[in-house]
């Protein structure tokens, strides 16, 4: 699936580092999402952006800071993370954040916090 | 609260049918989905069903919904080794802003 790309694919960082995850969609969509996928746990929705406006923050700690400069790009800025933040971070997009709009997922960034 | 549950593992022989089950608790769920995740890849939408439907068939895939029991199943006919993946059940509701609640996923292993 090349419609939604994520970089980097793998990231190892220390607890004092600052890093950013990038997501780009080439589908002409207007809604973008960040999900966290931890081992043996359901995918957790973190943030939703619809037409560049944040419409959902699912009680995510402030050490995760999203940014959506335009409808095609979504970032997740990371700082002072904890080891329990290690997970696969998935980005998705849909036409809009409407009820039946299919979400297309990127391949994810595998994050390890040491 | 919302909860979606799936068994963790399923192993079948190539050529057999696979049935992956899912239960959900939110009676106001309107849309139910099945996603597939292959190793190192993101989630791929396989199919979805509206809550006013009992069954949906798409080639080798059959989705059955028992709304009374809040039970959803995905049947894969003639299972192939390429079907080996993790299958996620998810639900959303009208007016929910396209927020999906996922199950933990079922790892399907297809043996020769």
């Amino acid at each position: 699936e090349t419609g939604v790309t994520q970089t980097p694919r793998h990231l190892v960082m220390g607890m004092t580092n600052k890093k950013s995850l990038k997501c780009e969609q080439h589908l002409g969509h207007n809604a973008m999402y960040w999900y966290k996928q931890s081992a043996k746990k359901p995918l957790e929705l973190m943030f939703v952006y619809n037409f560049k406006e944040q419409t959902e923050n699912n009680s995510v700690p402030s050490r995760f800071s999203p940014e959506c400069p335009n409808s095609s790009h979504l970032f997740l800025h990371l700082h002072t993370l904890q080891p329990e933040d290690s997970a696969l971070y998935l980005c998705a997009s849909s036409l809009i954040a409407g009820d039946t709009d299919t979400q297309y997922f990127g391949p994810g960034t595998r994050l390890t916090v040491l | 609260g919302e909860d979606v549950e799936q068994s963790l593992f399923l192993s079948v022989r190539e050529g057999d049918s696979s049935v992956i089950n899912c239960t959900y608790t939110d009676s106001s769920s309107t849309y139910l989905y099945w996603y597939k995740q292959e190793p190192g890849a993101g989630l791929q939408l396989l199919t979805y069903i509206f809550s006013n439907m009992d069954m949906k068939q798409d080639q080798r895939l059959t989705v059955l919904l028992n709304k009374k029991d809040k039970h959803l199943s995905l049947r894969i006919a003639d299972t192939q080794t390429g079907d080996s993946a993790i299958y996620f059940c998810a639900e959303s509701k009208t007016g929910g802003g396209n927020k999906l609640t996922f199950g933990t996923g079922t790892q399907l292993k297809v043996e020769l």
Side-chain angles (χ1 to χ4, degrees):
Chain A
E1 180 63 62
T2 57
V4 182
T5 57
Q6 291 186 242
T7 55
R9 294 294 308 275
H10 300 271
L11 177 63
V12 179
M13 59 187 289
M15 289 191 284
T16 58
N17 292 157
K18 289 184 180 181
K19 297 286 184 184
S20 296
L21 309 185
K22 179 182 176 182
C23 175
E24 184 173 0
Q25 57 91 4
H26 311 272
L27 301 168
H29 289 165
N30 297 292
M32 298 188 78
Y33 310 75
W34 279 118
Y35 287 87
K36 177 183 178 183
Q37 185 178 24
S38 304
K40 295 187 173 62
K41 291 178 67 176
L43 269 79
E44 301 170 63
L45 177 67
M46 299 174 73
F47 302 104
V48 180
Y49 278 82
N50 200 29
F51 293 93
K52 300 189 298 179
E53 298 296 318
Q54 188 181 120
T55 57
E56 181 76 24
N57 177 338
N58 198 22
S59 302
V60 180
S62 59
R63 57 185 183 270
F64 295 91
S65 175
E67 179 191 1
C68 189
N70 54 62
S71 293
S72 299
H73 293 86
L74 184 65
F75 295 89
L76 189 62
H77 303 300
L78 316 171
H79 63 97
T80 59
L81 294 192
Q82 305 298 311
E84 59 264 29
D85 297 322
S86 297
L88 181 68
Y89 288 85
L90 291 165
C91 172
S93 72
S94 66
L95 187 59
I96 59 173
D99 291 333
T100 58
D101 289 334
T102 300
Q103 293 183 32
Y104 294 84
F105 284 79
T109 295
R110 174 70 62 188
L111 173 68
T112 303
V113 182
L114 300 177
Chain B
E2 301 158 0
D3 198 14
V4 179
E5 294 188 356
Q6 302 177 238
S7 53
L8 289 179
F9 299 103
L10 176 64
S11 179
V12 299
R13 289 189 182 278
E14 189 177 39
D16 287 351
S17 292
S18 307
V19 179
I20 302 171
N21 294 302
C22 170
T23 58
Y24 60 97
T25 57
D26 192 341
S27 58
S28 63
S29 296
T30 312
Y31 310 100
L32 296 130
Y33 305 83
W34 284 106
Y35 281 84
K36 176 184 180 183
Q37 186 179 32
E38 297 183 44
L43 275 69
Q44 173 197 356
L45 179 66
L46 289 177
T47 186
Y48 66 91
I49 190 168
F50 295 118
S51 59
N52 61 357
M53 298 169 65
D54 298 323
M55 186 183 87
K56 182 177 180 180
Q57 187 155 3
D58 184 1
Q59 299 181 331
R60 292 191 298 124
L61 304 179
T62 302
V63 179
L64 294 177
L65 174 61
N66 181 327
K67 196 175 179 183
K68 174 176 171 288
D69 293 339
K70 300 189 189 70
H71 182 267
L72 182 75
S73 67
L74 175 69
R75 179 177 180 270
I76 306 173
D78 187 25
T79 312
Q80 302 297 307
T81 54
D83 294 323
S84 292
I86 301 175
Y87 290 80
F88 292 91
C89 170
E91 62 88 22
S92 68
K93 54 183 61 68
T94 303
N98 215 20
K99 287 191 291 183
L100 296 173
T101 300
F102 284 87
T104 51
T106 298
Q107 172 98 51
L108 174 64
K109 182 179 177 183
V110 182
E111 298 175 323
L112 297 173

